[in-house]
Amino acid sequence: MKAANSPASQSAASQSTGTPEGRNDLYWLGAILLLALVLRVVSLNGPLWFDEIVTVDTHLRMGWGEMLQSYSMNHHYLHNLAAKAAMVVFGDAPWAIRLPALVFGLAGIAAMWFLARDLAGAMPAHATALLLALSYHHIWFSQNARGYTGLAFFSTLGLLLFLRGLQANRRGIWLGFGAVIAATIFTHLTGAFFFVTLGLVWLAIVGTRAVKGTLDRSTILLPLLGFTVGGIVTVLLYLPILPSLLSTISGVAETSAGDVMQEYQNPLWTAYEAIRSGVGQAGPLVTLIGLLVLGLSGMGALALRKAAPLFAPVTFGNILLTVAILLGVGMRIWPRFFFTDIAFLMFLIVMGVRLTCDLVARLTGPRLGTLLFPIALAGMVLVSAAMASRNYMAPKQDLAGAYAFVEATRKPGERVFAVAYAGEVFTGHFHANWGTIFTDDDYLAAMAIPGPVTFVVTFPDRSFRSLPRLDADRDMILSETHYFPGTLGDGGIFILHRD
């Protein structure tokens, strides 16, 4: 995990003995978490977007037992139980529904700080945590009533326990590791991918040590105990909905195959979209940032090759394994499936920047060398802060605003239609007396009736592609009366009208 006399070991030792240096490190962590809290509380009460509303209406409003009667990929079970508890205590305001995601987000930053400190010392831990606190994506998901920050927290904690367990060989650590496995996978089934990666790394360690003749019983039995406990508890948690789970998974490929957005199954699109959503624009800059992230992550892996040789293989291995599994089952490769990896990549980038600065310092001399890393870190903080500001420029998806606008401007006798599956949200959640358009035939039938008509187009890229006639008419027969921007990918909403 790290060399015994490394700076990371010295930092951990000072922390454990309660020295002033260790206490100062905790003060820094506290300050970073306070900053992260402030950034995540702002706009926490913004309008819920489609998936959040579906979660509320089809899950959180159920009884406690009803929530666990069937399986859906849209439901993040452990998170939803926490969100329901928050609703019971605080009511159904958006901020209350999102409270567990915020708490898990803060916990994930803290867990990554402890992991980074274990592997590289206090300064990289501070830098990584600060950049996560300012991360556009991390803020976005910490204000999203879904289980992704929970997945990130549990996965980070799992890696921390895995690495410490390999070093300390204590039963308590591995039992805790098993509990974390169950918590992660019960949050969402895709959480299993990360622990499959850790399992493969563990098997590689066992095989390597067996070949070298250095394999001991604890390297086999204690990790096996952790994985076994985690697997058994996970199966028990999912047992009541196992038939529904298997049925849902078997239908994933068929659903994805009929999707008009076939690019959603392309991992290159996934990487591009993940960067584009953070930058806020498309174009060559996205590709440049992608190459920069790849290069600095590689440098970070190089920097950690001695102190933490397992970290980079786990990070990159989990990304590749996730892509392979999703492609294998024919599932859409959403960027959110890789949210767990953001903290790990951030740490690799910090280590890569520090190594790059050290290499440059060898050429420029010690005077400039001591300033390079702080300057580079300051630049990263400024860029991250600028990107983070985009979280506050618009809601994720302003369904509530669209509903209020249409109802306020609606004329007597005017018909209103929501396009595609967002119709269920308007009619169910907002109790709108609107129709729903799914196909061009539906659209033509609505247009065949004279009189004023309004179309509310959510997820416009998908909707206009699904209804090419509507797409053609929006610049000719229909007029755009309003547009509601959203930070969600394809989260804008068009209001189109014909008199």
Side-chain angles (χ1 to χ4, degrees):
M1 184 173 175
K2 56 182 179 286
N5 61 350
S6 69
S9 294
Q10 295 167 10
S11 174
S14 66
Q15 176 69 51
S16 63
T17 56
T19 64
E21 179 187 1
R23 288 194 296 271
N24 287 339
D25 289 342
L26 289 179
Y27 293 150
W28 275 108
L29 174 60
I32 292 169
L33 290 177
L34 180 60
L35 172 64
L37 174 62
V38 171
L39 293 174
R40 285 150 180 78
V41 167
V42 176
S43 299
L44 186 66
N45 205 41
L48 300 176
W49 71 282
F50 180 86
D51 276 6
E52 292 177 306
I53 291 175
V54 170
T55 297
V56 171
D57 289 351
T58 66
H59 217 64
L60 301 188
R61 296 196 188 281
M62 291 181 174
W64 292 97
E66 292 179 284
M67 293 174 64
L68 303 175
Q69 288 184 353
S70 63
Y71 180 80
S72 169
M73 294 294 289
N74 189 62
H75 296 322
H76 300 183
Y77 289 88
L78 182 59
H79 167 271
N80 287 358
L81 291 171
K84 183 171 179 62
M87 284 180 61
V88 170
V89 176
F90 300 111
D92 60 358
W95 72 265
I97 297 168
R98 291 167 172 159
L99 185 60
L102 182 149
V103 173
F104 280 127
L106 296 177
I109 294 174
M112 190 63 227
W113 183 87
F114 281 101
L115 178 58
R117 189 196 59 166
D118 272 10
L119 301 183
M123 180 55 70
H126 297 334
T128 302
L130 178 58
L131 291 171
L132 285 175
L134 293 168
S135 164
Y136 166 83
H137 292 94
H138 206 284
I139 295 172
W140 199 98
F141 279 97
S142 296
Q143 297 178 326
N144 181 33
R146 313 286 284 134
Y148 297 106
T149 53
L151 286 174
F153 164 64
F154 289 125
S155 297
T156 304
L157 182 59
L159 180 55
L160 178 66
L161 293 173
F162 179 80
L163 294 176
R164 285 185 175 181
L166 290 176
Q167 186 181 50
N169 286 325
R170 294 208 304 267
R171 182 181 301 172
I173 293 177
W174 288 107
L175 289 174
F177 177 75
V180 169
I181 289 177
T184 310
I185 303 175
F186 194 55
T187 298
H188 197 265
L189 205 60
T190 55
F193 301 166
F194 184 75
F195 291 94
V196 170
T197 302
L198 293 185
L200 293 175
V201 169
W202 166 60
L203 291 176
I205 292 171
V206 170
T208 301
R209 292 183 181 180
V211 170
K212 292 181 178 180
T214 59
L215 182 64
D216 57 86
R217 286 168 53 87
S218 61
T219 304
I220 299 175
L221 297 181
L222 290 178
L224 181 61
L225 172 66
F227 282 110
T228 302
V229 168
I232 291 174
V233 175
T234 299
V235 171
L236 291 176
L237 288 170
Y238 274 113
L239 194 59
I241 55 175
L242 190 59
S244 175
L245 185 154
L246 296 175
S247 176
T248 300
I249 293 176
S250 65
V252 164
E254 182 179 350
T255 302
S256 298
D259 194 341
V260 296
M261 308 296 286
Q262 285 298 301
E263 61 266 36
Y264 289 173
Q265 299 176 59
N266 185 336
L268 294 179
W269 172 87
T270 304
Y272 187 91
E273 179 63 17
I275 299 171
R276 185 210 62 76
S277 62
V279 175
Q281 61 184 15
L285 180 61
V286 174
T287 303
L288 179 62
I289 291 176
L291 293 174
L292 187 62
V293 167
L294 187 61
L296 289 174
S297 298
M299 291 293 289
L302 187 63
L304 291 169
R305 70 191 186 282
K306 293 181 179 179
L310 299 180
F311 184 81
V314 168
T315 301
F316 297 135
N318 179 59
I319 293 173
L320 294 175
L321 180 67
T322 300
V323 170
I325 293 175
L326 294 175
L327 286 174
V329 300
M331 191 170 176
R332 301 173 185 89
I333 308 176
W334 302 113
R336 58 181 177 259
F337 289 148
F338 303 91
F339 176 71
T340 291
D341 303 295
I342 287 179
F344 304 148
L345 290 172
M346 192 71 77
F347 176 52
L348 285 174
I349 289 171
V350 167
M351 297 303 296
V353 169
R354 189 168 77 166
L355 177 58
T356 302
C357 291
D358 289 344
L359 294 175
V360 173
R362 294 180 185 179
L363 301 176
T364 59
R367 179 176 297 181
L368 180 59
T370 57
L371 297 175
L372 281 178
F373 183 61
I375 291 173
L377 179 58
M380 294 167 68
V381 167
L382 290 175
V383 170
S384 295
M387 293 171 61
S389 66
R390 294 186 52 254
N391 274 294
Y392 314 106
M393 294 180 179
K396 289 176 167 54
Q397 184 184 42
D398 198 359
L399 295 166
Y403 169 74
F405 174 83
V406 169
E407 289 299 315
T409 58
R410 188 177 186 180
K411 301 174 183 177
E414 179 178 341
R415 294 170 296 128
V416 179
F417 294 91
V419 175
Y421 52 83
E424 66 188 70
V425 167
F426 288 113
T427 57
H429 187 79
F430 295 104
H431 308 294
N433 62 335
W434 299 357
T436 303
I437 299 293
F438 287 104
T439 66
D440 266 343
D441 288 340
D442 295 337
Y443 167 70
L444 292 173
M447 290 291 285
I449 301 174
V453 59
T454 291
F455 298 96
V456 180
V457 185
T458 57
F459 301 103
D461 288 348
R462 173 187 290 276
S463 295
F464 287 129
R465 192 179 300 185
S466 300
L467 285 78
R469 185 59 185 270
L470 172 65
D471 188 23
D473 284 355
R474 64 170 165 157
D475 294 325
M476 300 176 63
I477 299 175
L478 303 172
S479 61
E480 179 184 323
T481 59
H482 202 80
Y483 174 74
F484 292 87
T487 58
L488 174 73
D490 200 20
I493 302 174
F494 285 93
I495 310 297
L496 305 180
H497 180 75
R498 184 199 69 183
D499 289 324

